[in-house]
Amino acid sequence: MNVVSPASASTEPVTSDGVIAAGAYVDGRRVANIAIDEAGSWRSKPDHVVWIGLHEPETQLLKRVQQQFELHDLAIEDADHAHQRPKIEQYGDALFIVARTAQLDGDSIAFGETHLFVGEGYIVSVRHGASTSYKPVRERCESCPRALARGEDYILYAILDFIVDNYSPVLETIQVEVEAMEAEVLASAMTRAQIERLYLLRRDLLRLRNAVGPLVEVCRRLEHDNLPMVRPTMRPLFRDVTDHVRTVQERIDSLREVLAFAFEASLLVGQAQETAISKKLASWLAIVAVPTMIAGIYGMNFKHMPELEWEYGYFAVIGAIVTVCAVLFWRFRRVGWL
């Protein structure tokens, strides 16, 4: 799997109306850069495949694409309004697929969407929100015409595989932070800032899992269902993507469990520290109570207290106080309270 991190991903020029690239391919080789309004005619030529990439297109551009490929109104409506759940839908002989993308934006995860229209002789990708450019996918496919010559379903596989691969840099960055946080927890109780960060990490991981999870069903259908535009020879590749998605799920679950254990360990460390402090306070309180009690007794202003007339009474009381306090200190130290 070829992972391209968001930081190093190459970018593609985007026209004012949202077109990133539009090309016609024959036998895996680009034969022309085409205009959107010519896409339908190129697609109708024998053995031609039209590959169009759009980034946050305007409604009018989507309508033009719809006219060229006779796309379903509901699919166009979904592509025009983002915030869709990952899914796969069949409209006649065409497929409409939604996948969620993820990138690190500072200390949090930013999510985006990719909508894919796949039909006879064409594939259209529509990107919304945070997403790495698909230029590396196009370049990799064009560098291997034999693979690209397989057709639209191979391009679909390449894009889905790229989306899943780019979950890895996000998880690797989070894993480094989680491991550092886990080491700090064992050293001392977590601060408020650390607890807040732990909560944000668990929230982002949950959102990422919700974005990744439905892709398993999407890839499963591409692998097992007799869907149009997916040839039997492509099913092992989609099975590979399914395995990658499940691996990502397992990593997310593992990180969330580590964060949960880290929080529980922090609570235990904090409780242990509080218990140790309480023991120390109780020990010193018991030691201080001895001279306090004796001083309180002899501080009572009774007229008849025989010890007050004893010549060595003061020294005896001081000696008793020191002895009892020393015994208590030794005892508390021995049991580990001091």
Side-chain angles (χ1 to χ4, degrees):
M1 296 189 15
N2 298 313
V3 180
V4 179
S5 64
S8 62
S10 56
T11 58
E12 294 177 290
V14 183
T15 63
S16 58
D17 57 358
V19 179
I20 298 176
Y25 297 81
V26 177
D27 294 329
R29 291 178 171 83
R30 184 187 294 206
V31 294
N33 293 323
I34 64 175
I36 295 299
D37 296 329
E38 301 173 349
S41 60
W42 280 96
R43 169 243 184 160
S44 62
K45 296 180 180 181
D47 301 324
H48 280 62
V49 175
V50 173
W51 184 358
I52 296 176
L54 307 177
H55 181 259
E56 298 183 352
E58 299 291 339
T59 304
Q60 288 303 116
L61 177 58
L62 286 175
K63 293 293 185 182
R64 290 163 57 195
V65 174
Q66 180 183 20
Q67 293 174 359
Q68 295 298 312
F69 302 121
E70 300 178 353
L71 304 178
H72 198 279
D73 290 339
L74 292 178
I76 290 296
E77 182 179 353
D78 286 344
D80 191 27
H81 300 87
H83 310 296
Q84 300 294 322
R85 177 182 172 84
K87 62 182 178 179
I88 179 171
E89 294 180 349
Q90 180 179 348
Y91 296 102
D93 292 332
L95 297 177
F96 175 65
I97 298 168
V98 179
R100 299 294 302 277
T101 56
Q103 280 184 301
L104 279 177
D105 182 14
D107 291 334
S108 62
I109 302 177
F111 293 92
E113 292 181 26
T114 293
H115 302 161
L116 299 168
F117 299 89
V118 186
E120 183 67 33
Y122 69 89
I123 180 167
V124 180
S125 65
V126 182
R127 291 193 289 127
H128 290 276
S131 174
T132 303
S133 169
Y134 294 161
K135 183 179 180 180
V137 181
R138 191 182 296 270
E139 291 177 345
R140 189 164 65 245
C141 290
E142 291 179 351
S143 67
C144 187
R146 183 176 180 180
L148 184 55
R150 298 182 183 183
E152 307 84 353
D153 49 358
Y154 180 81
I155 300 175
L156 172 62
Y157 152 75
I159 293 176
L160 289 178
D161 186 58
F162 183 78
I163 291 173
V164 175
D165 284 352
N166 277 278
Y167 293 138
S168 294
V170 176
L171 289 176
E172 288 169 1
T173 303
I174 292 178
Q175 184 171 359
V176 171
E177 184 175 359
V178 169
E179 290 175 352
M181 186 177 294
E182 186 180 17
E184 292 175 359
V185 164
L186 298 178
S188 61
M190 299 180 69
T191 64
R192 179 181 178 87
Q194 288 175 321
I195 292 175
E196 291 177 353
R197 180 58 183 156
L198 186 149
Y199 168 77
L200 292 176
L201 283 174
R202 291 203 69 196
R203 183 197 64 181
D204 283 348
L205 286 172
L206 178 60
R207 292 173 61 195
L208 182 59
R209 194 185 193 287
N210 291 337
V212 171
L215 273 181
V216 175
E217 177 61 19
V218 170
C219 295
R220 189 202 63 79
R221 289 194 60 190
L222 289 170
E223 176 188 350
H224 295 289
D225 295 1
N226 293 320
L227 296 174
M229 307 313 305
V230 179
R231 292 162 297 163
T233 55
M234 289 297 299
R235 290 174 184 173
L237 296 180
F238 288 113
R239 184 184 308 121
D240 182 62
V241 178
T242 303
D243 292 340
H244 294 166
V245 175
R246 286 176 174 154
T247 300
V248 170
Q249 277 187 311
E250 292 173 358
R251 292 182 63 185
I252 293 172
D253 292 339
S254 176
L255 288 174
R256 295 189 74 240
E257 288 184 7
V258 170
L259 289 174
F261 292 151
F263 182 71
E264 293 176 2
S266 174
L267 291 179
L268 293 175
V269 170
Q271 292 174 358
Q273 290 179 344
E274 291 178 359
T275 301
I277 293 173
S278 298
K279 289 180 178 179
K280 288 182 179 181
L281 291 175
S283 300
W284 285 115
L285 181 61
I287 293 173
V288 172
V290 174
T292 302
M293 179 188 66
I294 296 176
I297 293 174
Y298 287 98
M300 295 183 295
N301 295 321
F302 290 109
K303 184 176 182 180
H304 300 287
M305 297 184 69
E307 295 84 356
L308 296 178
E309 303 297 331
W310 185 31
E311 180 180 359
Y312 302 104
Y314 172 78
F315 301 102
V317 170
I318 294 298
I321 291 175
V322 172
T323 302
V324 174
C325 289
V327 170
L328 288 174
F329 181 84
W330 171 80
R331 180 62 178 173
F332 288 133
R333 190 68 176 269
R334 184 178 180 182
V335 297
W337 284 35
L338 288 176

